[in-house]
Amino acid sequence: MSVPIIKSPRAMRQWTFEQRCAGRTVGLVPTMGGLHEGHASLMRESVSCNDVSVLSIFVNPAQFAPHEDFDRYPRTFEADLALAEGIGIDAVYAPTSSSMYGQDFASYLTVERVQDGLCGGSRPHFFRGVATVVTKLFNAVLPHRAYFGQKDAQQCAVIKRMVRDLDFDIEVVELPIVRDADGLALSSRNQYLSSAERLEALNLSKALARGLELMQRGERDIRRIEEAVRAELADLDIDYVAVVDADSIEPLAVAQGNVLLAAAAHVGATRLIDNVKYTFPESAADGFPRADSRKREYAISAK
Ligand code: PAF
């Protein structure tokens, strides 16, 4: 039997209502289509952790500025459907534009501060569109769990904060970035790259790996980490390189705790993003006792 394709919020809620009444847990994988192995990893996780799983496919006009690639964005519905079916997705929610944004649509959601830096700096419309559409998807699908990829780390932070602040009873699951064998983070927009541009794009993951290496060696000076990454990206048109707190996306005075090192750059006409996360070990600099200072205290009190 082929997977049902549901086209309106009302029909979607009816489907979920029946699943919930039967005592089944519902997982949601929100996407804009153009699916790749990164999306497949989210779908597999949802299928293995929930009784039923919904894939949503909707190219959301509210998260594109007029000069961006809304018209060009990959639309590969039949291939997406085949991939979802093969993984065991139980329903595809593919709402029409008119059922999502009626003529008089006027209600948008903003997640203050978390949405401001990084991608929010160069795409000021973006997170308002994402938060609004994800809220609408949540309200239609009513999932127990929703799955997002770390490649869009700021998007994950925005959605987690929104879920927390607005009391959505949904677990947000963030899964690791899926990369090609040479390190390039998978993205629907990689399809835009020529083979020469694809080679250039590899600098992004290489530069972030350099930044990660520095942090792993104990570098906590944010300017030095960012400069090292920028140096590796010298041939690209850099949008930003930033080390921020991984949860709040706010700037840090010094690298500590859970850190997100993120970068965005233009390769030809294509804007790509990538990131790495790192958790610094606790140290005296963070206000925690060092392991060796605890040892000394013990030695003194043992006397
Ligand atoms: O990550 C995406 O594909 C989109 O931003 C999302 C979350 C489906 C909202 O349109």
Side-chain angles (χ1 to χ4, degrees), residues 116-130:
D116 290 343
L118 311 188
C119 289
S122 40
R123 304 184 72 197
H125 56 282
F126 178 67
F127 289 113
R128 179 181 98 134
V130 168

Side-chain angles (χ1 to χ4, degrees), residues 89-213:
I89 287 291
D90 299 280
V92 170
Y93 180 41
T96 57
S97 252
S98 56
S99 74
M100 290 297 267
Y101 295 108
Q103 263 193 342
D104 257 0
F105 192 89
S107 309
Y108 292 91
L109 198 95
T110 55
V111 181
E112 292 175 2
R113 295 182 298 286
V114 190
Q115 70 169 37
D116 290 343
L118 311 188
C119 289
S122 40
R123 304 184 72 197
H125 56 282
F126 178 67
F127 289 113
R128 179 181 98 134
V130 168
T132 303
V133 83
V134 170
T135 299
K136 289 175 69 68
L137 295 172
F138 284 175
N139 281 337
V141 180
L142 302 170
H144 294 86
R145 299 190 185 90
Y147 295 82
F148 298 88
Q150 186 200 311
K151 191 178 75 61
D152 298 293
Q154 188 177 11
Q155 170 172 280
C156 289
V158 163
I159 292 165
K160 284 179 191 165
R161 182 66 66 87
M162 172 187 106
V163 161
R164 192 197 76 182
D165 288 353
L166 302 183
D167 307 315
F168 282 100
D169 189 14
I170 295 171
E171 182 189 347
V172 175
V173 183
E174 178 177 340
L175 293 181
I177 299 178
V178 177
R179 298 180 181 279
D180 274 332
D182 56 11
L184 185 68
L186 297 193
S187 161
S188 307
R189 291 189 168 98
N190 290 354
Q191 295 181 29
Y192 300 154
L193 301 172
S194 68
S195 34
E197 287 172 341
R198 199 188 168 291
L199 270 180
E200 267 183 66
L202 282 179
N203 289 325
L204 203 52
S205 54
K206 284 188 191 149
L208 290 168
R210 170 82 187 115
L212 178 62
E213 188 188 307

